[in-house]
Amino acid sequence: MKLLKEINSDQCGNPGDKVKVTLWRTGDAEYSFTSDIKDINRKERSIKLSYPEKLIKNTDLRSPYISAIIPCAITISSDNPEEEPVKIDGTIDRINTEEIVIISSSKLGFKDNISISFILSEFTVSSEARILSDKTISASNIYYYTLKFVSLSNAARTIIKKFILDHTQ
């Protein structure tokens, strides 16, 4: 583990001591584990730890959304290669780098194989997605779905980050 600041003996202990480590995975959760210090290299500002026995997922960290009105295409594919995919139009209502909230007049299922595509800054963003939650306004036959990106490329994620930065300043 590489440290960002100087290490002095009061801060990190000695080889053999137990330490608790907390990690944050962007858009996912906070994790922690306890481990033994194997070695400390103060000159290189690094600490070697034993492999932890257990990784604990503490708190979910969901990135905040920004509001948007972005047309999107939703494709539902079947596991049967002989069946044609179903294409549905939708609108992205909110977006972050991990998820989107879409509005559709068509019902989607939690087990559906979903792909989504939309255009941001003249770049076509495409990803497989899975439904995290849904909300129905039955009086007007409108469905809201929170979708998590499953196969978003780094380039697409960068475009979304730039879009968010441009629209939050």
Side-chain angles (χ1 to χ4, degrees):
M1 177 181 305
K2 200 79 162 165
L3 302 176
L4 300 175
K5 63 179 194 167
E6 295 292 322
I7 303 171
N8 63 44
S9 57
D10 299 344
Q11 291 177 316
C12 64
N14 297 299
D17 289 351
K18 287 206 175 291
V19 292
K20 182 176 180 180
V21 178
T22 302
L23 307 169
W24 291 269
R25 187 169 167 216
T26 304
D28 179 24
E30 174 187 291
Y31 295 88
S32 64
F33 63 88
T34 302
S35 182
D36 295 320
I37 298 174
K38 289 178 78 172
D39 186 42
I40 299 173
N41 186 327
R42 286 174 173 69
K43 185 177 180 181
E44 292 183 18
R45 298 190 309 207
S46 65
I47 298 175
K48 287 185 181 175
L49 302 173
S50 299
Y51 192 81
E53 292 179 22
K54 186 177 179 183
L55 180 66
I56 300 166
K57 184 175 182 178
N58 298 320
T59 320
D60 284 334
L61 303 172
R62 294 181 78 180
S63 301
Y65 292 105
I66 66 161
S67 294
I69 300 175
I70 304 167
C72 64
I74 305 153
T75 305
I76 303 168
S77 303
S78 171
D79 290 332
N80 181 352
E82 294 178 16
E83 287 184 32
E84 287 292 317
V86 176
K87 297 188 186 289
I88 300 168
D89 291 328
T91 302
I92 297 173
D93 182 53
R94 288 177 284 158
I95 186 169
N96 69 32
T97 56
E98 306 296 322
E99 303 169 0
I100 55 176
V101 176
I102 63 166
I103 302 169
S104 175
S105 58
S106 299
K107 186 151 180 62
L108 303 175
F110 279 88
K111 293 183 180 180
D112 288 345
N113 298 321
I114 299 170
S115 297
I116 185 124
S117 64
F118 53 95
I119 296 174
L120 278 183
S121 305
E122 300 178 11
F123 181 88
T124 301
V125 176
S126 298
S127 177
E128 292 178 10
R130 65 181 167 92
I131 298 174
L132 296 178
S133 65
D134 67 343
K135 178 181 175 184
T136 304
I137 300 176
S138 55
S140 52
N141 203 29
I142 295 176
Y143 303 94
Y144 286 81
Y145 296 98
T146 302
L147 302 177
K148 181 165 184 64
F149 296 121
V150 173
S151 59
L152 195 63
S153 69
N154 288 334
R157 193 173 312 280
T158 300
I159 294 292
I160 294 171
K161 283 180 187 176
K162 183 176 180 337
F163 177 82
I164 290 169
L165 284 174
D166 290 348
H167 290 83
T168 55
Q169 295 179 359

